Amino acid sequence: IRVVVAANFIAVAARMSLVTFLGIYLVRQAGFDVGTVGLAFLAESLLRGAAAPMFGALSDRIGRRMLLIVAALVTAIVLPSFLLVNGPASLFAWSVAMGLAGAINMPVATALLLDLAPSERRQSVLAANYTAMSVAYTLGVSPAGYVAEQSYVALAVIASTGYLLVAALYALAFRAP
């Protein structure tokens, strides 16, 4: 349970550290129109929300571990790749990739927590998980502003490294039999 909560904390902190400042980067540094960036981010969020139930159901059939590892590794690649976008098509393509990868983590990690927690502790485990993720939103963004001022590339590397750590946590903690 602690590994899943820690992985969710790291994932949220890593994602929010970059995504919070990504719009600023795309408009100011990459020269995108703010409306285009907003639509790409909206598409990512809508896709993530629409695909999440599908990945939750898929994890019931094929297992949770591999989906969580793959999602973390894909996210580790996709997050810094946003710095390479060179037009609206690539921005939307990376947004779709991010939406699909992001759609896996929340429902599958939550299902894993419910699998691991005894029935009498499920409510407190979910509460602890959501509290950790709420704290991660703040702790991920606070130092990220400073790092973004120095280098968006450094921020992307840090965020990507967070997701590599998440994949490693899931791989080591939940080894296949």
Side-chain angles (χ1 to χ4, degrees), residues 5-164:
V5 172
N8 281 337
F9 178 90
I10 294 166
V12 168
R15 183 179 189 283
M16 294 312 298
S17 69
L18 183 61
V19 171
T20 300
F21 298 98
L22 187 57
I24 297 168
Y25 167 80
L26 290 169
V27 171
R28 288 190 182 167
Q29 304 284 333
F32 281 90
D33 175 69
V34 71
T36 302
V37 172
L39 284 175
F41 286 6
L42 176 63
E44 183 265 332
S45 292
L46 291 174
L47 181 59
R48 188 170 16 120
M54 177 189 72
F55 286 115
L58 181 63
S59 76
D60 289 339
R61 287 190 292 265
I62 68 169
R64 313 210 196 283
R65 178 182 178 268
M66 189 52 63
L67 278 173
L68 289 167
I69 292 169
V70 167
L73 293 174
V74 168
T75 305
I77 294 167
V78 171
L79 275 177
S81 297
F82 272 101
L83 299 181
L84 305 175
V85 299
N86 56 8
S90 62
L91 175 60
F92 278 91
W94 286 117
S95 293
V96 166
M98 187 65 187
L100 289 174
I104 296 171
N105 191 61
M106 185 61 68
V108 178
T110 301
L112 180 58
L113 282 172
L114 293 173
D115 291 345
L116 297 171
S119 59
E120 68 276 1
R121 289 195 50 225
R122 286 182 179 154
Q123 184 176 359
S124 62
V125 166
L126 290 178
N129 182 57
Y130 287 110
T131 299
M133 289 190 308
S134 295
V135 171
Y137 275 102
T138 302
L139 294 181
V141 171
S142 298
Y146 173 77
V147 175
E149 278 188 345
Q150 310 309 309
S151 168
Y152 283 104
V153 172
L155 184 57
V157 168
I158 291 168
S160 182
T161 302
Y163 274 95
L164 293 174

